[in-house]
Amino acid sequence: MWSIRERTLKMIMEASRDALPNEFGALLRAEHQIIYEIALVPGSINGPVHVIFRTYTMPLDFSYVGSVHSHPSGNTHPSDADLHMFSNTGPVHIIVGYPYNMNNFSAYTRNGDPLKLNII
Ligand SMILES: [Zn+2]
């Protein structure tokens, strides 16, 4: 069962709003399946998030559990590129969608299956 800290999700939504009209992307850090922090991937802000994630190698640090990125289109379904990226970057992935309110997100497993994510 995965959870995310409310303030972390709030931070993600704010960063996604700041990045408009571009995508925002970051890695997720968690402890005991609670996501508590985002870690920026160098160069990914206001950049082509999918391309960077696709070529990015996860650091050898087990507190990194996956990725988060924004879809300015508002659609939180993963693209084919997202699914490929998910399979390389850990067990939990979040896509947030415009207008980036606290309920505008979907979470997915490494395989792209929907994942229930509690906000705590
Ligand atoms: Zn995407």
Side-chain angles (χ1 to χ4, degrees):
M1 177 73 84
W2 286 91
S3 306
I4 185 167
R5 294 269 182 222
E6 186 178 9
R7 65 167 182 274
T8 307
L9 186 59
K10 208 171 276 178
M11 197 184 297
I12 290 167
M13 295 305 186
E14 279 167 17
S16 298
R17 243 175 263 136
D18 286 348
L20 281 169
N22 296 306
E23 294 187 4
F24 167 78
L27 297 175
L28 300 172
R29 301 189 82 163
E31 209 177 270
H32 305 303
Q33 297 200 320
I34 299 170
I35 297 161
Y36 67 93
E37 194 174 71
I38 54 174
L40 301 179
V41 181
S44 67
I45 298 186
N46 297 337
V49 170
H50 292 120
V51 175
I52 287 164
F53 273 148
R54 229 178 305 166
T55 57
Y56 187 73
T57 308
M58 285 287 276
L60 284 175
D61 176 340
F62 292 113
S63 68
Y64 290 102
V65 294
S67 71
V68 58
H69 74 279
S70 67
H71 279 179
S73 67
N75 181 338
T76 57
H77 290 283
S79 66
D80 287 348
D82 289 339
L83 291 172
H84 182 74
M85 183 267 288
F86 290 176
S87 66
N88 292 328
T89 41
V92 54
H93 302 276
I94 301 172
I95 298 176
V96 301
Y98 184 84
Y100 306 132
N101 294 319
M102 290 299 273
N103 55 348
N104 299 125
F105 74 93
S106 302
Y108 299 96
T109 66
R110 183 193 290 276
N111 299 324
D113 296 320
L115 180 74
K116 180 153 171 44
L117 189 64
N118 294 313
I119 303 174
I120 59 172

